[in-house]
Amino acid sequence: MSLGPVRSHLRHATASAHDRVDALLPHGVTRHRDYAAYLRAMHRFIASGALPDGARKRYLPLLSDDLRTLGIASDDDATGAIPGDRYERLGWEYVFEGSSLGARMLLRQANMLGCDDRSGARYLNEHAGSSGWPDLLRQLEDLAPDAGQLDRLVVASHRAFAAVETALRDALRIERDVS
């Protein structure tokens, strides 16, 4: 199956940003402190990122519950930035919905830590089973952006990756200081 021109372009244009985020948790969440950092970071990203309100409403309560269940402090629920246009929204969605693929592996690891869909891994369970990624791929496949629109899509994706990277770095620092 071909990636499609827009997805292929996005994947290539954001590869280094994606690699930087992945490198922060090279072994996933096999340790409790890494899982705590991951949950803190995703909570911050979803609360303050330029994601559609539906993502915030769907996932923040699950993340808040997981954090509370595991006794992990979180930032206050901030109001997220509003995407400027369709291409900015799609750039943020590309990063967020794409993370559902990695969520499948992380969910297995969280299960090994004793967390499940009823206690401590509600967010991962929901995100890993989401249909958001295939839905987004269909949207990207149907796009025929001009150069400016494609640039906005890539820039928004980079901003989203940078937001995840910053949130994860901060959360890992907190967990390191707590340990």
Side-chain angles (χ1 to χ4, degrees):
M1 178 173 117
S2 155
L3 289 179
V6 174
R7 180 180 175 207
S8 180
H9 182 81
L10 268 175
R11 186 176 183 189
H12 177 73
T14 61
S16 63
H18 192 177
D19 290 345
R20 282 192 307 275
V21 169
D22 285 349
L24 293 173
L25 288 174
H27 304 292
V29 296
T30 56
R31 299 180 303 181
H32 287 280
R33 72 181 191 174
D34 291 337
Y35 187 48
Y38 170 80
L39 289 174
R40 281 181 201 263
M42 290 310 295
H43 187 273
R44 180 174 163 190
F45 173 70
I46 292 170
S48 62
L51 297 172
D53 282 341
R56 251 182 235 95
K57 289 175 186 166
R58 179 177 179 185
Y59 292 111
L60 272 180
L62 299 173
L63 278 162
S64 295
D65 183 63
D66 288 342
L67 289 165
R68 197 172 27 262
T69 296
L70 299 173
I72 303 165
S74 69
D75 297 334
D76 291 333
D77 290 353
T79 302
I82 298 171
D85 68 9
R86 177 182 188 200
Y87 295 94
E88 185 173 344
R89 178 184 56 78
L90 287 171
W92 281 80
E93 280 188 73
Y94 173 77
V95 174
F96 177 68
E97 296 298 351
S99 72
S100 69
L101 302 175
R104 295 170 187 158
M105 177 198 69
L106 297 178
L107 177 59
R108 286 190 299 275
Q109 292 176 334
N111 291 161
M112 298 291 287
L113 295 173
C115 301
D116 60 28
D117 62 333
R118 292 178 310 281
S119 180
R122 292 183 67 214
Y123 163 73
L124 275 175
N125 190 67
E126 184 75 15
H127 192 43
S130 166
S131 66
W133 181 243
D135 293 346
L136 178 68
L137 292 181
R138 280 189 288 280
Q139 289 181 62
L140 293 176
E141 196 66 34
D142 292 340
L143 284 181
D146 63 29
Q149 293 164 332
L150 187 58
D151 186 53
R152 287 199 310 277
L153 181 60
V154 170
V155 167
S157 297
H158 275 283
R159 276 199 300 268
F161 271 118
V164 171
E165 183 179 358
T166 298
L168 192 49
R169 282 186 192 283
D170 291 349
L172 286 165
R173 191 173 307 113
I174 290 168
E175 289 305 315
R176 197 172 46 244
D177 292 346
V178 170
S179 300

